[in-house]
Amino acid sequence: MVNTLNKGSKNLGRVLKHSYAPRGGCKAVMEDKGPEVLISGPAGTGKSRACLEKIYTICLKTPNVRALILRKTLASLGSTALVTWRRYVIAEALVTGDVVYYGGSREEPAQYRFKNGSTVVIGGLDKPTRIMSAEYDIIYIQEATEVTLDDLEMVKTRLRNWTISYQQLIMDCNPAGDKHWLKLRCNDGYTRLIESRHEDNPMLFNEDGSLTEKGVDYIENILDKLTGVRYKRLRLGLWVSAEGIVYEEFDPYMHILPRTYVDEDGDEVTFEIPWDWTRYWVIDFGFVHPFVLKCYAESPDGDLYMYREIYMTQRTVEEHAQTILDIVSPEVEKSYYDHINRVKRTVKHRKWTEPKPMAILCDWDAEGRRTFENATQLGTKAAIKNVFEGINAQKERLKAQRIIYMADSLVELDQDQRDKLLPTCTVDEYPGYVWKVDKDDRTLEEPVKRDDDGLDCDRYLISWLDLVGKARASQM
Ligand SMILES: Nc1ncnc2c1ncn2[C@@H]1O[C@H](COP(=O)(O)OP(=O)(O)OP(=O)(O)O)[C@@H](O)[C@H]1O
Ligand SMILES: [Mg+2]
């Protein structure tokens, strides 16, 4: 039976009807009243929509409910769950004024306020102070595989508002590796795991099980074209790790550093890279495949912090050069007095807002390098491509936590890559980067050359610093 939630909102005599009909796993998550529930499944089954609809329904039905929508970082929440929330879930209520947005203040976090006194607070775990000082009835963590067990436990202590008869943590995610702590938590029975399937989403499947037009497009043209572990997780919804994964040492909790975090004294600290750390840029050229340009800072101990990343298809090298220049050296106007003509004039010039890179390493695209050099007036060097040694050097760095990725380093999301469910930044590449196998299933000492543009950049820089640098030092 389809459970249709129709909620009327009055607007100058008009009634705007909100309708949502959940199915399968999505329906199950809407109805669940347990303390901790996770809805997991392949891409686009309607998981986030179901969690958001649940929050909306509860807030609408009972006055003074307090809900919290969370993601690992606030920036990532804005581009995902909040779009669905505004566009589909509260669209009518925003029009009628039954729900209004409040942007927040020093004391209060950003939130959606319902006429009946209910509140939906939004936040990121990177900026927890204001959100975590309050109490809630229901907390929703989007893409829960991104957070840590510590995050989850901290969040759960906030569930004690008791305006409704149960207090709940709901989470959604696409599956990760089979040993992921969240999957193990489900296996141990602490979290109820609800599986969601593509058939749950009426945008993709009709009631009779046939594909809709959108469904054909999404499933056959996008999901079925995925490969390796991305296919297994995003098409089939399986909790699996890739076989023959190259960088087993990569662990998001160890290698991704939020820009803002809470220190031991409980203070929110924003990490700023000191001006005197050496900067490097690395470029992997591409047009159909992503063009990747990454900026790194090297600490005095030699640790690398990747703090900015352009990861984009379908743009020319000139366009990318312009993008990076506008970020690191925006144009500023300078006025001066022209004594000969006795007029005041202004000239534009570029002012660097961070140190210039000590070196710019590039892949071997000579044409790309020339174009980039001409557009930026910066010299470049060809990267060394000893793949196997480079991978080993990168593994050593990962093991020792000597390469760190700053969260939210992406300059601009490549929507085309996102729509095709392909990596949109380097850390997306790690789970699917695997060793090649020959026809007898023997693992070779070279990786599969696919979805590796960002990882290649890391390898070029690490090879240059750790292999070439060492060779240079030993000759001295
Ligand atoms: N029952 C439904 N009725 C109408 N539209 C729906 C329904 N369920 C989902 N959708 C729509 O389908 C799209 C995908 O849904 P949603 O973002 O919730 O999927 P998801 O499983 O969270 O995806 P991802 O795995 O990428 O996070 C959204 O536009 C959503 O509004
Ligand atoms: Mg989602």
Side-chain angles (χ1 to χ4, degrees), residues 114-213:
F114 287 58
K115 263 199 178 140
N116 65 1
S118 290
T119 313
V120 176
V121 172
I122 54 177
L125 280 158
D126 53 336
K127 294 191 175 143
T129 315
R130 277 177 305 173
I131 43 177
M132 286 305 154
S133 54
E135 292 171 350
Y136 303 94
D137 297 284
I138 183 158
I139 300 178
Y140 161 42
I141 305 182
Q142 202 208 15
E143 285 307 328
T145 44
E146 294 172 353
V147 310
T148 62
L149 179 57
D150 281 350
D151 290 334
L152 180 144
E153 285 174 350
M154 171 185 60
V155 161
K156 279 196 85 173
T157 64
R158 303 288 97 206
L159 275 171
R160 48 178 195 204
N161 199 46
W162 290 112
T163 304
I164 52 173
S165 61
Y166 62 97
Q167 307 280 278
Q168 187 174 52
L169 174 65
I170 44 174
M171 300 175 274
D172 75 4
C173 67
N174 299 124
D178 54 346
K179 303 273 179 343
H180 192 281
W181 69 266
L182 188 55
K183 179 65 169 55
L184 300 180
R185 191 170 169 87
C186 295
N187 294 352
D188 291 344
Y190 292 109
T191 313
R192 178 181 173 205
L193 176 64
I194 295 176
E195 300 278 358
S196 166
R197 301 149 45 103
H198 286 117
E199 285 79 354
D200 294 351
N201 189 344
M203 271 175 67
L204 306 178
F205 275 89
N206 296 309
E207 200 73 60
D208 64 6
S210 60
L211 279 165
T212 62
E213 211 174 297

Side-chain angles (χ1 to χ4, degrees), residues 19-23 26 39 41-53 80-81 84 87-89 140 142-143 172-175 196 198 200-204 218 234 418 421:
S19 75
Y20 169 67
R23 291 182 190 162
C26 295
I39 177 163
T45 63
K47 302 176 292 295
S48 301
R49 174 83 184 260
C51 296
L52 294 167
E53 291 281 355
T80 52
T84 306
R87 194 176 292 168
Y88 298 105
V89 183
Y140 161 42
Q142 202 208 15
E143 285 307 328
D172 75 4
C173 67
N174 299 124
S196 166
H198 286 117
D200 294 351
N201 189 344
M203 271 175 67
L204 306 178
Y218 189 60
L234 300 177
R418 159 71 67 85
L421 298 174

Side-chain angles (χ1 to χ4, degrees), residues 47-65:
K47 302 176 292 295
S48 301
R49 174 83 184 260
C51 296
L52 294 167
E53 291 281 355
K54 177 165 186 162
I55 287 177
Y56 177 60
T57 309
I58 293 171
C59 287
L60 206 63
K61 248 170 93 185
T62 314
N64 304 320
V65 170

Side-chain angles (χ1 to χ4, degrees), residues 359-389:
I360 304 177
L361 306 180
C362 299
D363 71 18
W364 287 3
D365 178 342
E367 166 95 38
R369 278 180 63 192
R370 244 194 324 272
T371 311
F372 189 81
E373 288 181 351
N374 287 339
T376 58
Q377 299 299 306
L378 296 167
T380 65
K381 293 179 197 298
I384 46 161
K385 292 207 170 191
N386 47 355
V387 181
F388 189 65
E389 288 95 331

